[in-house]
Amino acid sequence: MKKIMMIALFAITAMTASAQKFALIDMEYILKNIPAYERANEQLSQVAKKWQAEVDALNTEAQTLYKNYQNEVVFLSQEQKKQKQETIMQKEHEASELKKKYFGPEGELFKKREALMTPIQEEIYNALKDISKLRGYDLVIDRSEQGIVFGSPKIDISNEVLQKLGYSN
């Protein structure tokens, strides 16, 4: 459905404004050819693995406490049961909070990704803007978003963007 809407929008725009110039880019291709992007992704991956290991360690602790509790439950007093249950719930809560802190919508990983990727995205955007002004493009569409069924290679300016950024291909 998204593809049909995109094609219809493109066709209507092309018919009503035939004097406008269009260009395509392949953002995936551009990003793959920018070493800083690859380094940022690797850095994010390493940090995510480290943080996930911390969350997993807390979850494992909670599971171990629960298994021990299940093995001992018949020998425990009501007070001891309650205390062990609270300890288990506290450990599960700690794991949940740590996961939210690192991986939540406004978590540390999101902030780190934003800090690493925003400068790269801005650099690409500025290069696109400069090329668009120079060539008179009114619209630049990203073909990597899967919304374009066909785009002529003649209007693909991905390599030009990379050259503008200093990464000739």
Side-chain angles (χ1 to χ4, degrees):
M1 184 64 151
K2 185 178 175 185
K3 288 180 184 179
I4 294 170
M5 295 285 287
M6 191 71 151
I7 292 169
L9 176 65
F10 188 72
I12 290 169
T13 304
M15 283 188 268
T16 59
S18 58
Q20 292 181 342
K21 288 179 70 175
F22 303 96
L24 294 176
I25 60 163
D26 186 337
M27 190 60 78
E28 284 180 27
Y29 171 77
I30 291 170
L31 291 172
K32 283 181 188 175
N33 285 284
I34 297 178
Y37 177 77
E38 294 297 323
R39 285 191 303 272
N41 264 341
E42 181 58 33
Q43 191 176 352
L44 288 170
S45 178
Q46 294 299 324
V47 168
K49 284 178 188 175
K50 177 183 165 223
W51 289 341
Q52 187 61 50
E54 289 179 36
V55 171
D56 290 345
L58 283 176
N59 280 325
T60 301
E61 254 184 87
Q63 289 172 352
T64 301
L65 288 171
Y66 182 70
K67 286 178 185 175
N68 290 343
Y69 169 77
Q70 284 181 319
N71 292 335
E72 301 169 349
V73 72
V74 293
F75 305 112
L76 300 174
S77 68
Q78 282 300 101
E79 182 64 30
Q80 290 171 322
K81 286 179 187 178
K82 185 178 179 181
Q83 181 192 19
K84 290 207 181 258
Q85 288 170 353
E86 287 175 1
T87 303
I88 293 166
M89 289 190 313
Q90 178 62 31
K91 194 58 71 175
E92 288 173 343
H93 180 72
E94 283 177 41
S96 175
E97 286 299 309
L98 190 61
K99 185 175 183 176
K100 183 179 170 183
K101 174 186 171 193
Y102 288 150
F103 302 107
E106 296 294 321
E108 296 298 318
L109 188 62
F110 173 81
K111 291 174 187 171
K112 189 153 189 76
R113 178 178 287 118
E114 197 170 64
L116 291 171
M117 297 301 183
T118 298
I120 296 168
Q121 291 169 335
E122 286 177 358
E123 189 178 14
I124 293 168
Y125 173 75
N126 289 332
L128 275 169
K129 194 168 71 172
D130 291 346
I131 292 168
S132 294
K133 283 181 182 176
L134 180 70
R135 304 246 187 241
Y137 296 130
D138 298 305
L139 180 66
V140 178
I141 300 170
D142 183 1
R143 78 168 49 216
S144 67
E145 291 295 319
Q146 308 299 322
I148 296 179
V149 178
F150 172 77
S152 172
K154 291 187 288 187
I155 63 171
D156 189 329
I157 60 170
S158 300
N159 283 325
E160 193 173 347
V161 172
L162 285 169
Q163 288 173 348
K164 178 92 173 146
L165 294 168
Y167 306 105
S168 58
N169 218 12

